[in-house]
């Protein structure tokens, strides 16, 4: 059966979305993501070793936090994030794995977290200085 919206409403109203083109957002009633450490520096790493870091966060807002997507800017950065809603006051973790193969020198990799927050995108970052095998002092 076809779903018809009342005249003057939009399809966006079918989804619980605190922001619409017709009304201002009340950011005080939304979810909010707060990272304890939004930037992590691995320091010097060997180009043959995959490294990972876990970013911890808290939902400091008043609504459940839903993370829709987390993405790095290249295939070398692979994030894993919670798929279930995070209650207000509760925390969660985003693990980011970085494969430095084929990279050399200083690396700065932003990761974009898209969620039901305002604004809806939050950046976290990993950094590293990638050394070719044998340059990092390891024997």
């Amino acid at each position: 059966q076809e779903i018809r919206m009342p005249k003057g409403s939009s399809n966006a109203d079918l989804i619980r979305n605190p922001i619409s083109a017709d009304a201002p957002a009340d950011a005080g009633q939304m979810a909010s993501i707060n990272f304890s450490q939004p930037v992590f520096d691995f320091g010097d790493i060997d180009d043959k070793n995959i490294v990972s870091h876990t970013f911890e966060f808290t939902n400091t807002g008043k609504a459940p936090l839903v993370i829709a997507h987390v993405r790095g800017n290249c295939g070398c950065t692979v994030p894993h994030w919670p798929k279930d809603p995070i209650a207000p006051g509760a925390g969660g973790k985003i693990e980011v794995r970085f494969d430095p193969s084929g990279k050399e020198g200083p690396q700065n990799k932003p990761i974009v977290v898209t969620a039901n927050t305002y604004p809806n995108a939050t950046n976290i970052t990993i950094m590293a200085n990638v050394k070719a095998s044998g340059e990092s002092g390891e024997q």
Side-chain angles (χ1 to χ4, degrees):
Q1 187 175 14
E2 183 179 8
I3 298 173
R4 292 184 184 257
M5 296 298 297
K7 189 172 184 169
S9 61
S10 72
N11 288 343
D13 294 330
L14 291 172
I15 302 168
R16 183 178 179 270
N17 187 345
I19 300 175
S20 74
D22 300 329
D26 183 357
Q29 298 302 314
M30 298 172 66
S32 181
I33 192 166
N34 184 355
F35 287 91
S36 59
Q37 183 182 18
V39 177
F40 181 78
D41 189 348
F42 288 105
D44 291 342
I45 62 171
D46 188 290
D47 67 345
K48 301 286 187 229
N49 295 326
I50 295 173
V51 294
S52 66
H53 176 71
T54 301
F55 290 91
E56 296 184 7
F57 64 86
T58 303
N59 177 3
T60 57
K62 294 186 177 180
L65 171 68
V66 178
I67 299 174
H69 192 67
V70 181
R71 66 176 166 76
N73 65 350
C74 72
C76 63
T77 308
V78 180
H80 297 279
W81 65 95
K83 307 300 189 256
D84 294 328
I86 308 295
K93 298 175 182 183
I94 296 174
E95 180 188 358
V96 178
R97 294 183 56 188
F98 173 59
D99 183 351
S101 300
K103 311 269 185 251
E104 193 169 339
Q107 303 293 313
N108 184 338
K109 301 294 181 185
I111 297 105
V112 179
V113 179
T114 304
N116 63 333
T117 58
Y118 184 80
N120 71 336
T122 304
N123 288 335
I124 54 179
T125 305
I126 57 169
M127 299 175 2
N129 185 36
V130 179
K131 306 243 181 197
S133 293
E135 288 184 35
S136 62
E138 295 178 19
Q139 303 269 337

